[in-house]
Amino acid sequence: MPEATERRSEWVLLATGCLLLALTAWSYWIAETGTTTAWFVLGIAVLKAHFIAGIFMELHAAPRVWAVSLSVFLFTLASVLIALFS
Amino acid sequence: MSGAQAPAIQGRELPGGTVIWLFVAIELLTFGLFFVGFAWARRSNPAPFLAGQGQLHPLLGAINTGVLLSGGWLAARGVLANRSGKTRATAAFLTGAAVSGILFMAIKLHEYADVFEAGVSLSTNTFWFFYLFLTGLHFLHVLAGVGFLLPTAWRAAGGAYGPENRSTVEAVAVFWHMVDLIWIFLFPLIYLAR
C-alpha cells in the first residue's frame, strides 16, 4: 500500500471515529435535555451505522449489492422502529 | 515489514470473505427482529418501559458507546496496518480493540450489579426482560469478539498475517464492527428513546 494512500486512510478512519463520538455525545445530550423525540436519536443511530458499515467495515469498496442491502435494511429497521415509537 | 507492498484490493471484494458477511447478515436480521419486538411491546404498554428507562444510567450507556466506537476504530486501524505488513502495529491495534471490549464489559457488569441490587430479574416486567435479554445477548457477542481479537493479535505479533494473508484479521474486525452496529441501535432504543 503506497504511503500516501495509507496516510489518507488513517485520516479518514480518525475523522470517522471522531464524528461517531461527536454524534454519540450529541444524541445523549439531546435526549437528556428532553428537547426531541425518539425519531431523532434513532435517526442519528442510522447515520452512525452507515458510517461504521461504509468506512470501518469498508462496505464502500465491497460489491454494491451488499452495501445497498445493508442500507435498505438499516432504513427499513429505523422506519419500523420510529413508526412504533411515534 | 513496514515497507512491504500490499496487494491492491482486486476490484470490489468483501473484506474478510463472504462467509463472515453472511453471518453478519443473519445476526443483524435476528437482532433487528428483537428490536422490533422491543418497540412493539413498548407501544402496547409504555408504562414499564418509561419507568425502567428512568432507573438506567444513560451516561454509562453513552460512555460504553464511546468505548465500543473507539474499539471499532482500533480494529479498523489494525486491518489497515495488516495490509501494510506492519505486524507489531496490527497486534497493538487488535489488542487495543480487545481492551475496549473488556472495558465495555466491566462497565456493563457495574450496571448489571446496580440493576440486580434493585431486585430486578427477567420476570420483573417486559422492559426488564428485553433489557436483560438484549444487552445480555450483546454482552456475549462482545465476549466472543474479545475471544477472537486476543488470539488474532497474538498470532499477528508472531507474523502469522500480512498483506498476503489478510482474511482472518479482516473477518475478526468485521465481527467486531457488527458488535458495534448492534449496540449503535441498542443504546438509543434502551437508554434514550422516549
Side-chain angles (χ1 to χ4, degrees):
Chain A
M1 183 182 290
E3 193 76 17
T5 307
E6 191 183 346
R7 286 277 169 273
R8 185 176 171 281
S9 298
E10 287 174 7
W11 278 107
V12 169
L13 289 178
L14 183 63
T16 305
C18 291
L19 182 63
L20 288 168
L21 290 177
L23 286 171
T24 301
W26 191 32
S27 62
Y28 166 75
W29 182 76
I30 288 281
E32 282 300 284
T33 52
T35 53
T36 188
T37 49
W39 71 268
F40 193 81
V41 289
L42 289 170
I44 291 180
V46 174
L47 189 62
K48 285 159 69 178
H50 265 94
F51 278 113
I52 291 171
I55 309 294
F56 282 0
M57 297 172 101
E58 300 182 299
L59 265 189
H60 65 280
R64 286 195 200 285
V65 65
W66 287 91
V68 171
S69 299
L70 188 66
S71 290
V72 169
F73 169 74
L74 290 174
F75 276 116
T76 305
L77 176 62
S79 301
V80 171
L81 293 176
I82 288 167
L84 287 170
F85 266 83
S86 60
Chain B
M1 296 229 4
S2 62
Q5 291 289 306
I9 293 178
Q10 300 299 310
R12 289 181 165 271
E13 66 178 51
L14 278 170
T18 307
V19 173
I20 185 68
W21 281 92
L22 286 173
F23 176 77
V24 166
I26 292 167
E27 287 273 315
L28 291 180
L29 282 170
T30 307
F31 268 95
L33 286 174
F34 290 147
F35 294 163
V36 171
F38 175 91
W40 188 276
R42 182 189 182 279
R43 187 182 176 87
S44 305
N45 184 17
F49 285 77
L50 291 170
Q53 271 184 326
Q55 286 181 251
L56 297 178
H57 302 290
L59 182 59
L60 285 181
I63 290 169
N64 250 351
T65 308
V67 168
L68 270 194
L69 289 173
S70 303
W73 172 74
L74 288 163
R77 285 298 309 269
V79 168
L80 192 61
N82 186 56
R83 265 182 214 147
S84 301
K86 297 174 179 172
T87 52
R88 291 185 68 179
T90 304
F93 282 126
L94 294 181
T95 304
V99 169
S100 81
I102 292 166
L103 184 57
F104 176 94
M105 289 190 290
I107 293 171
K108 203 80 206 110
L109 286 173
H110 173 74
E111 272 193 274
Y112 284 147
D114 272 1
V115 165
F116 288 132
E117 204 171 275
V120 164
S121 72
L122 275 167
S123 56
T124 301
N125 61 37
T126 323
F127 172 79
W128 290 113
F129 168 79
F130 272 109
Y131 171 81
L132 293 171
F133 174 68
L134 290 175
T135 61
L137 199 55
H138 179 264
F139 186 97
L140 291 177
H141 282 72
V142 176
L143 187 63
V146 171
F148 294 140
L149 282 164
L150 285 176
T152 307
W154 180 264
R155 285 173 56 81
Y161 311 113
E164 306 293 341
N165 184 14
R166 348 181 279 264
S167 61
T168 303
V169 172
E170 290 179 358
V172 167
V174 165
F175 180 88
W176 191 243
H177 297 312
M178 179 200 74
V179 173
D180 270 7
L181 271 183
I182 294 167
W183 183 258
I184 285 301
F185 277 94
L186 257 182
F187 169 57
L189 264 185
I190 286 181
Y191 292 87
L192 303 182
R194 293 190 172 92

